Amino acid sequence: MAKLHFSLVAPERELFAGEVDSVDAPGAEGDFGVMAGHEPFMTTLRAGVVTVKSGSSVTVYEIQGGFADVTQTSFTLLAEHAKAATV
Amino acid sequence: MASLKEMRNRIGSVKSTQKITKALQMVAAAKLRRAQEAAQAARPYADRMASVIANLAASVSGPGAPVLLAGTGRDHKHLITVAVGDSGLAGAINSSVVRAARDRAQELIAQGKEVRFICVGKKSFAPFRRLFGDKVIATFDLSKSKVLTLDTAEPIATRILEAFAAGEADVVTLFYSKFKNVVSQVPTAKQLIPAIVSDAAGAAVTPDLKGGVYSYEPDEAAILETLLPRNLRVQILSALLENKAGFYASQMSAMDNATRNAGDLILALTKQYNRSRQAQITKELIEIISGAEAL
């Protein structure tokens, strides 16, 4: 399966950058999931949980508002505040 | 000629000054590394933000564009935000930014424009209050905030947006010192409103749509509306981070110079002290010998 390049960037630092299978994020108009080959779109985000799935590993981040930029091969998430959350 | 005791005291005092400058230099060097890392870590965000906004700006131009992006169409009222350090003993870094901002302000005033100021960092309060008095509409003291985050930049951005919304400003410019490398910090003016989108290196970002047609949720204008104030905060934060790194770099080299100068001074004083001590001993010997011969 094609991989998606996901990067999670907070103002202070880059929290995550790498190839993943899918990402779930809380969009302003509803949660959405992104996999490789997604239609390009941009949206603002509300506070919530970002779930990053890669193979069998799942990483979860808490974000407080932000912005998502999705292209066919990559997903850039600019978060206001972000931190790794425990599942 | 100073007495020997006076000279000893003088040497002692220069020595303790040297200890202080040496300590300051080492502290600055340690802090510089951290500040530099912070400045670098913040760059990806600012760059991505800039490219996203450039993308959006390309699709939302014309009369409907938000005022933060397009400006008010006038340039009569200028708001100058000056960001410097909160303490001194750091060479010319603070004063060169202050001077750059002051020159720009006087130029604008000479053109008949209205200029107001927001001062960030203690070292800018006094010069601007003295020169421009009540034109300083806000001051921010950052000496309490050890770590610079988006929350540090927030009140500054809010104040700027307030002033903009109240019609007190048509053009907002931020003066800070750009951290080029450890030995060179450049006083820089960055225009915040109307937004000129540029990446960390200062080059204008050209829209890169990668041929894809984006869909927007909500629409472009709404996204831009929330993104632009956020971008303002990010721009301010990145300027503050650069400032901080530059400040420590400048302090480090200033203190290194001071330590070296103190060393030179100690050498010169010690030489002078030894000479006069020897001269005094010789003089006393001659007195004793001539006294003995006279008997």
Side-chain angles (χ1 to χ4, degrees), chain B residues 102-114:
Chain B
R102 189 196 60 201
D103 290 351
R104 179 92 182 102
Q106 279 164 347
E107 198 181 298
L108 288 168
I109 289 170
Q111 288 169 18
K113 314 259 189 210
E114 223 173 286

Side-chain angles (χ1 to χ4, degrees), chain B residues 1-42:
Chain B
M1 190 86 222
S3 79
L4 285 182
K5 180 152 173 42
E6 275 166 9
M7 291 183 70
R8 266 201 305 275
N9 287 345
R10 179 92 201 279
I11 292 170
S13 103
V14 177
K15 269 187 183 155
S16 41
T17 307
Q18 190 190 29
K19 271 183 200 152
I20 293 167
T21 58
K22 181 105 197 175
L24 268 173
Q25 184 210 335
M26 289 194 291
V27 170
K31 285 184 175 170
L32 167 65
R33 206 168 42 83
R34 249 178 297 153
Q36 222 174 327
E37 277 165 12
Q40 261 153 15

Side-chain angles (χ1 to χ4, degrees), chain B residues 33-152:
Chain B
R33 206 168 42 83
R34 249 178 297 153
Q36 222 174 327
E37 277 165 12
Q40 261 153 15
R43 252 175 221 166
Y45 191 89
D47 287 353
R48 293 273 162 77
M49 185 73 113
S51 67
V52 166
I53 288 184
N55 275 351
L56 281 167
S59 60
V60 191
S61 48
V67 280
L68 284 181
L69 186 70
T72 56
R74 295 181 299 268
D75 73 333
H76 180 62
K77 292 172 180 168
H78 286 252
L79 178 64
I80 292 182
T81 309
V82 194
V84 299
D86 282 297
S87 55
L89 291 178
I93 184 158
N94 292 334
S95 52
S96 58
V97 173
V98 166
R99 200 177 316 122
R102 189 196 60 201
D103 290 351
R104 179 92 182 102
Q106 279 164 347
E107 198 181 298
L108 288 168
I109 289 170
Q111 288 169 18
K113 314 259 189 210
E114 223 173 286
V115 185
R116 287 190 175 80
F117 300 90
I118 290 181
C119 296
V120 181
K122 275 187 188 166
K123 284 286 154 182
S124 64
F125 298 180
F128 284 100
R129 283 222 181 98
R130 193 177 59 235
L131 283 166
F132 302 105
D134 57 359
K135 291 277 185 278
V136 179
I137 56 170
T139 54
F140 294 92
D141 177 357
L142 301 181
S143 56
K144 297 284 183 300
S145 40
K146 282 220 170 83
V147 190
L148 296 172
T149 62
L150 215 51
D151 296 332
T152 325

Side-chain angles (χ1 to χ4, degrees), chain A residues 19-35:
Chain A
E19 306 294 320
V20 299
D21 289 329
S22 77
V23 181
D24 293 336
E29 297 184 342
D31 289 10
F32 61 91
V34 176
M35 295 171 87

Side-chain angles (χ1 to χ4, degrees), chain B residues 155-199:
Chain B
I156 304 169
T158 309
R159 187 69 189 84
I160 291 176
L161 290 173
E162 269 171 31
F164 188 74
E168 290 177 354
D170 297 320
V171 180
V172 181
T173 318
L174 174 68
F175 281 83
Y176 69 105
S177 73
K178 196 175 187 66
F179 181 81
K180 212 165 153 199
N181 54 45
V182 177
V183 288
S184 143
Q185 299 86 36
V186 193
T188 309
K190 179 153 78 175
Q191 187 173 313
L192 297 175
I193 304 172
I196 293 177
V197 181
S198 65
D199 63 15

